[in-house]
Amino acid sequence: LLLIFAVTLSSAYVFPPYEIEVYNPKGFKISIPDSEGVTLFAVHININKELEYLEAGQIARDVVKKRGDRWVYEDKNLRLRAGDKLYFWLYVIVDGLGYRLDNQEYTVENLSPSQSTPTVTIPKPTNPPPIRIEPVTGSTVSQPSCEPSYTTVSGKEVCKGDIVFFEQFQNTVGWGSSNNWTTEVQIPRTAETYFMVLDKTNRLVENGFLVIEPSLLEEKYSYNFIRNGYLRLSGCTAESRTKCESNGFSWNIIPPVLTSRINTKNSFNFKYGLVEIRAKLPKGDWIVPEIWLVGKNYGPNSGRILLAKSFGNDDLKLNGKNIGGQLLHQGVSTNETDTILYSRTNDKLWSDSFHIYKIEWTPGYIKFMVDQTETAKLEPTEKLFKELLGGSNLAPFDTEFYLSIGVHVGGLVDFPDNAVNRGKPKPWLNEELRNVLKFWFAKDKWHQTWGDHSRLLVDYVKVIAL
């Protein structure tokens, strides 16, 4: 079946005719014609179930590349029958602005016998005019019809269903279309990041993806630099001098790994929302991706929300159980060691392909999801962390957070001392004095597992007000 319907609106952009095709025995397609400035087409569909305002729906997909002169979402395996009813809303981004087409309905009547001869019907209009959505980057834009939302952006109210942040990494200037990102430059010196230096050199935007890739510090400077060199970071973003410079001597070497981390701390902070990040995780021994929300005032009374954490090791075991790249963690933490993590396994490595990592963050719960499948729901009935004073049961996850994306390597927290990698003991102990040096001495073993597959690739980041 092919459905064609058009609406008109007196504005800079008119939502174009959309087409729906339904095939027998299976197959479904919805599309719109391309227009100048379109960079995304999104569909949200329920089958035989009404949508609750702007919920994601049973089908929730973003199309970021057009097909010829159309933007097309297609599911060749979806089976629909005569009488099935589709409830849906559509969304496009044009020149950085979002436009929504709400409250769409369609009932399947006749099925085409093949994907080459669809029939055409034009049903009665059921749709209101599309709604133009301004992006929010620190100031709120009033909407003509605004349903109250739990979400706030920089302390200001927004409307339910608004896409308050969307990044596709289409250019390198300012690290995003809205100059939202700040690159951290420092020697973090936390237990989690003890083996690394953060700099600008290991992140780039390439072919529409954010790319963050770890490398060896000596590759940027010189052989043996970590043992007898002096590092002073230009443009250091840390407040403490000890996090901006380091020198190597004897066994006390400069952290040997160079990597990057970017965040929106200075541009986009928000509380509650639907957060969705499509990414391909890095592969390689001791590499750990960072896909986080971080408390605006991160410290002892704040925390982090982890959307995706999976070790790059492809054969890492603890007491005979796999803890490597087939295991994914999502959860929360109030510091690097006080965590609540939920895990799920995969037949393949999580780093083998792209996945959509997602959280639904509300005043009462945080739901963790991957590829539209729920991992767990954190819904405390009492104080989550009793040592914290004030706030809700979900505290400290009841204040504004910012986005943070990066990669770290090794460290003194993630990998247990009795972990076994490819049948060999982990080469360092977390609490031994010369742990960084021991890690470095094993370089010939772990560095050979790195390569192009060791890059964290991020396709897009989206935040929707709830």
Side-chain angles (χ1 to χ4, degrees):
L1 289 172
L2 176 67
L3 174 152
I4 304 178
F5 185 69
V7 298
T8 59
L9 178 67
S10 177
S11 66
Y13 177 76
V14 177
F15 213 100
Y18 57 74
E19 297 181 359
I20 293 178
E21 302 176 46
V22 183
Y23 301 98
N24 185 25
K26 60 184 180 179
F28 170 81
K29 184 188 296 183
I30 183 169
S31 67
I32 61 172
D34 184 34
S35 300
E36 184 177 355
V38 175
T39 56
L40 176 139
F41 169 54
V43 299
H44 296 266
I45 305 171
N46 269 357
I47 302 170
N48 298 324
K49 179 185 176 184
E50 291 190 18
L51 289 161
E52 295 183 10
Y53 191 56
L54 293 177
E55 69 170 283
Q58 298 161 345
I59 299 172
R61 294 292 186 271
D62 292 340
V63 180
V64 296
K65 185 177 181 180
K66 65 182 179 179
R67 188 186 301 178
D69 60 354
R70 299 191 69 83
W71 292 82
V72 181
Y73 167 70
E74 183 174 14
D75 185 341
K76 295 181 179 179
N77 296 312
L78 181 63
R79 294 179 181 270
L80 293 171
R81 296 171 293 183
D84 283 342
K85 192 165 186 177
L86 307 182
Y87 300 88
F88 60 99
W89 59 279
L90 305 177
Y91 178 80
V92 296
I93 290 181
V94 185
D95 294 328
L97 300 180
Y99 298 84
R100 243 180 26 233
L101 187 62
D102 297 342
N103 303 324
Q104 300 301 288
E105 298 179 10
Y106 177 66
T107 301
V108 179
E109 296 179 355
N110 299 302
L111 299 178
S112 171
S114 72
Q115 294 202 15
S116 60
T117 58
T119 58
V120 179
T121 63
I122 304 177
K124 295 180 180 179
T126 61
N127 37 334
I131 299 172
R132 183 173 183 265
I133 306 169
E134 300 279 358
V136 178
T137 57
S139 62
T140 303
V141 179
S142 299
Q143 300 298 328
S145 59
C146 179
E147 184 174 345
S149 168
Y150 294 125
T151 305
T152 62
V153 176
S154 298
K156 297 181 180 180
E157 296 180 354
V158 294
C159 300
K160 184 176 181 179
D162 282 4
I163 295 182
V164 295
F165 185 93
F166 187 73
E167 177 62 82
Q168 290 181 279
F169 300 105
Q170 293 297 319
N171 59 71
T172 57
V173 180
W175 290 96
S177 57
S178 302
N179 296 337
N180 285 319
W181 302 96
T182 297
T183 303
E184 296 184 33
V185 179
Q186 61 170 309
I187 309 169
R189 299 189 187 278
T190 67
E192 188 175 50
T193 59
Y194 203 62
F195 295 178
M196 60 183 247
V197 174
L198 289 170
D199 203 356
K200 296 180 178 181
T201 54
N202 289 55
R203 88 302 187 248
L204 72 154
V205 171
E206 182 179 81
N207 299 323
F209 297 102
L210 168 68
V211 180
I212 297 180
E213 180 179 12
S215 64
L216 303 182
L217 193 72
E218 67 176 17
E219 292 175 347
K220 180 177 180 180
Y221 293 95
S222 61
Y223 176 74
N224 229 24
F225 178 81
I226 64 170
R227 304 198 69 167
N228 53 35
Y230 173 71
L231 175 66
R232 185 173 184 178
L233 292 175
S234 175
C236 183
T237 57
E239 296 180 358
S240 170
R241 179 179 174 181
T242 61
K243 293 187 176 183
C244 294
E245 55 188 54
S246 179
N247 63 295
F249 62 92
S250 183
W251 55 266
N252 189 19
I253 64 174
I254 299 172
V257 175
L258 191 63
T259 183
S260 291
R261 178 191 296 154
I262 65 174
N263 67 63
T264 64
K265 184 177 182 179
N266 297 326
S267 61
F268 177 72
N269 294 271
F270 72 105
K271 180 172 67 173
Y272 308 133
L274 190 67
V275 183
E276 183 176 299
I277 299 178
R278 183 174 185 265
K280 185 176 185 292
L281 304 184
K283 178 182 177 181
D285 285 359
W286 316 120
I287 300 175
V288 185
E290 302 172 350
I291 302 181
W292 299 337
L293 301 184
V294 180
K296 183 177 180 179
N297 300 307
Y298 184 68
N301 294 320
S302 186
R304 292 193 312 217
I305 302 175
L306 285 67
L307 277 80
K309 178 179 179 178
S310 182
F311 301 146
N313 307 59
D314 59 11
D315 183 13
L316 184 67
K317 292 182 171 62
L318 179 66
N319 300 324
K321 294 183 179 180
N322 179 30
I323 62 169
Q326 292 177 311
L327 191 64
L328 177 77
H329 305 286
Q330 297 178 294
V332 299
S333 69
T334 54
N335 53 58
E336 293 177 357
T337 57
D338 193 2
T339 62
I340 299 174
L341 293 180
Y342 304 101
S343 302
R344 61 188 298 172
T345 58
N346 196 1
D347 293 338
K348 299 179 180 180
L349 298 175
W350 288 98
S351 58
D352 282 346
S353 58
F354 278 89
H355 296 277
I356 297 175
Y357 302 99
K358 196 170 183 178
I359 65 164
E360 185 178 308
W361 176 27
T362 77
Y365 66 84
I366 304 174
K367 184 190 297 184
F368 299 90
M369 294 165 277
V370 182
D371 297 330
Q372 310 304 323
T373 301
E374 181 177 332
T375 301
K377 188 176 183 180
L378 176 62
E379 191 172 13
T381 57
E382 57 182 15
K383 293 282 288 188
L384 191 61
F385 296 100
K386 294 182 173 60
E387 67 274 14
L388 298 179
L389 301 178
S392 67
N393 286 345
L394 207 58
F397 307 103
D398 55 358
T399 60
E400 290 196 342
F401 280 58
Y402 59 86
L403 297 157
S404 180
I405 301 174
V407 167
H408 67 263
V409 174
L412 313 179
V413 174
D414 290 312
F415 301 97
D417 283 339
N418 52 343
V420 176
N421 187 52
R422 293 192 186 85
K424 302 292 184 181
K426 190 185 76 166
W428 77 96
L429 298 177
N430 292 333
E431 295 187 6
E432 68 177 319
L433 189 61
R434 303 185 182 188
N435 40 38
V436 184
L437 188 64
K438 290 284 188 69
F439 171 76
W440 179 247
F441 280 165
K443 177 193 69 172
D444 291 343
K445 298 292 186 184
W446 51 259
H447 189 247
Q448 67 179 353
T449 70
W450 294 12
D452 288 343
H453 53 257
S454 301
R455 311 163 107 202
L456 170 64
L457 303 178
V458 180
D459 184 9
Y460 66 83
V461 181
K462 181 165 63 173
V463 182
I464 303 175
L466 293 174

